Amino acid sequence: MILETERLFLREMRQNDFRDLAEILQNPNEMIGQAGLTIQPYKNAEVLEIGYLLKERFWHCGYARKTVNGCKKYAFEYLNKDKVYSIIKADNLASIKVAESVGMSKEDEFITQYYNGDMLHYLYSIRK
């Protein structure tokens, strides 16, 4: 276990998680399972991103918000980072709502490859 909040705990992914992850990624409705901090490319740099993917049956339960808050705290207090980010597809209104609800604000808009085409994305961020 890496991080524990009041309602959930985060750990590294394991081999036996791949079936659930594949189910999430193959469902066109599931954009928000897995969550945590990763290094993601952004323009000519890399950013520490808080990402989250949840199975549809777990939507609207507060898990994404709790996860983002826990990851923010971990990044600021344990990793001593000054800023964290979330990269969100422009049409993912639920993830935008989560980011804004925890104090993140839109910093940039950019086009990136998503599956087989160009897609507008937003860079959200929050400082310590």
Side-chain angles (χ1 to χ4, degrees):
M1 181 175 63
I2 297 173
L3 170 68
E4 184 175 6
T5 72
E6 180 182 312
R7 295 178 58 196
L8 42 94
F9 68 91
L10 302 179
R11 60 172 172 73
E12 287 189 34
M13 289 187 70
R14 300 182 192 139
Q15 185 72 28
N16 62 352
D17 293 322
F18 291 148
R19 181 173 288 147
D20 286 331
L21 181 58
E23 182 182 325
I24 291 168
L25 295 174
Q26 291 172 357
N27 182 338
N29 293 326
E30 292 177 353
M31 299 310 237
I32 311 185
Q34 75 128 357
L37 293 164
T38 59
I39 301 296
Q40 293 294 327
Y42 166 68
K43 295 192 175 178
N44 294 324
E46 292 181 329
V47 296
L48 182 62
E49 184 198 25
I50 300 173
Y52 38 94
L53 294 164
L54 298 176
K55 287 188 172 185
E56 193 169 4
R57 69 176 181 256
F58 297 116
W59 290 2
H60 310 294
C61 296
Y63 294 125
R65 186 175 296 110
K66 289 283 188 186
T67 297
V68 172
N69 278 325
C71 287
K72 275 188 349 187
K73 182 177 180 176
Y74 186 84
F76 294 153
E77 294 179 9
Y78 295 99
L79 300 179
N80 201 29
K81 298 297 182 182
D82 293 323
K83 193 174 186 180
V84 291
Y85 302 84
S86 282
I87 297 171
I88 304 171
K89 281 182 34 194
D91 64 352
N92 190 339
L93 301 180
S95 288
I96 291 168
K97 183 177 177 181
V98 169
E100 291 175 348
S101 75
V102 299
M104 296 181 112
S105 57
K106 186 167 65 170
E107 181 175 315
D108 194 12
E109 298 181 9
F110 61 100
I111 303 292
T112 191
Q113 286 287 315
Y114 192 80
Y115 291 110
N116 292 325
D118 290 340
M119 176 86 45
L120 179 63
H121 281 71
Y122 298 147
L123 180 73
Y124 273 76
S125 65
I126 189 166
R127 290 199 173 273
K128 193 174 196 175

